[in-house]
Amino acid sequence: DKIAGMVDFVFCAVDMKKEEIRTLEERYAKAECPVVSNNSAHRWTDDVPMVVPEMNPEHLEVIPAQRARLGTKRGFIAVKSNCSIQSYAPALHPLMKYGIEKALVCTYQAISGAGKTFERWPEMIDNVIPYIGGEEEKSEQEPLKVWGHVENGKIVKADAPAITAQCLRVPVSDGHTAAVFVKFADGKKPSMEQIKADWADFKGRPQALELPSAPKQFIHYFEEPDRPQAKLDRELEGGMAVSMGRLRPDTQYDYKFVGLSHNTLRGAAGGAVLLAELLCAEGYIDHK
């Protein structure tokens, strides 16, 4: 409590049981210290905004309701989403206007997402592990909260699109890759040229506000058939941009493509910093 009273806000990224994290973060918030969390513990608390700044900045509007519940004037909790969804949900976001019916995604996730290096995890060299605990549920459900809406002081998750996911750990140091398949509602399928144009034109609130950590171009598309690649493209715009490639028709879905995001920058620490910048710019965090 003494520390909370000395700082403007805190970032929270701790290795504890979820119930302990929830208690810790609420304790800081109740001590009138805003919390920007990298943890998953509060992602499904219905008055805690889970924000990808370019996608759902309007969810910050739930903060007054959360403050009312906590009995605070200044303190609150805001969280960032799971790192894996950053590699495909941003690409689907500007296409939602066409009525995405369903999506299938397979993610190929770097070892840094488990807090490991090859030196500390030699079992991952020359190996693929087809299981990451809890990751598939997060990948299928978290985008629906991001695409939800604020109603009566709570975030109500979206009903669609239906997402099914498989998540694999692969021998890559940094960068999560996603193979994505997408089906649009009948009669609403955009052309490939329109999809590429929507990706190129998409700008969010961070770009409008010119926030320090915001990429100038959020979604990059590569025409080369062998891109994006983790080693070549994960550092794009300081690791804060996302990359797409290989957009093409599919035999069972409408289209398929490949996405890439830097899991420890856009997907973790950098995403939390960008969220904090947005909270400051929108007046939810101020200097004590």
Side-chain angles (χ1 to χ4, degrees), residues 99-115:
I100 296 176
E101 189 175 277
K102 61 181 180 177
L104 181 154
V105 59
C106 294
T107 62
Y108 306 89
Q109 301 186 202
I111 64 172
S112 57

Side-chain angles (χ1 to χ4, degrees), residues 7-163:
V7 298
D8 292 331
F9 72 98
V10 295
F11 291 109
C12 188
V14 293
D15 185 9
M16 297 165 58
K17 294 179 180 178
K18 286 191 177 183
E19 191 55 46
E20 294 173 345
I21 295 172
R22 282 191 283 267
T23 299
L24 175 69
E25 292 181 345
E26 287 204 358
R27 182 176 177 183
Y28 268 80
K30 288 178 178 178
E32 298 294 0
C33 182
V35 177
V36 179
S37 179
N38 231 344
N39 304 302
S40 64
H42 270 295
R43 286 182 191 158
W44 286 102
T45 304
D46 56 17
D47 62 3
V48 171
M50 180 175 68
V51 176
V52 179
E54 285 87 352
M55 294 174 61
N56 62 327
E58 70 279 3
H59 283 196
L60 299 182
E61 296 168 9
V62 80
I63 288 175
Q66 185 195 146
R67 282 172 167 161
R69 174 177 64 86
L70 296 174
T72 62
K73 293 182 178 179
R74 191 173 179 275
F76 65 88
I77 303 161
V79 302
K80 55 161 291 298
S81 67
N82 183 266
C83 55
S84 68
I85 79 167
Q86 313 281 340
S87 56
Y88 59 91
L92 297 177
H93 186 68
L95 309 181
M96 293 287 282
K97 61 191 175 186
Y98 302 116
I100 296 176
E101 189 175 277
K102 61 181 180 177
L104 181 154
V105 59
C106 294
T107 62
Y108 306 89
Q109 301 186 202
I111 64 172
S112 57
K116 301 288 184 67
T117 63
F118 287 115
E119 290 75 20
R120 293 167 50 211
W121 201 3
E123 298 87 354
M124 275 307 305
I125 297 172
D126 191 31
N127 196 16
V128 171
I129 297 177
Y131 174 72
I132 306 172
E135 202 76 2
E136 287 160 0
E137 295 82 358
K138 294 174 185 176
S139 294
E140 292 172 352
Q141 293 299 315
E142 287 190 15
L144 299 180
K145 182 172 181 179
V146 172
W147 288 321
H149 65 279
V150 177
E151 182 179 318
N152 298 323
K154 297 179 179 180
I155 298 168
V156 180
K157 77 173 187 175
D159 295 325
I163 301 173

Side-chain angles (χ1 to χ4, degrees), residues 52-55 86 89-91 93-94 199-200 202-204 207 214-220 236-237 240-244 266 274:
V52 179
E54 285 87 352
M55 294 174 61
Q86 313 281 340
H93 186 68
W199 285 345
F202 180 62
K203 296 183 185 301
Q207 286 73 38
K216 288 182 172 58
Q217 181 69 40
F218 181 35
I219 301 173
H220 291 247
L236 200 60
E237 298 216 38
M240 292 299 288
V242 297
S243 303
M244 303 299 145
R266 164 56 72 167
L274 184 60

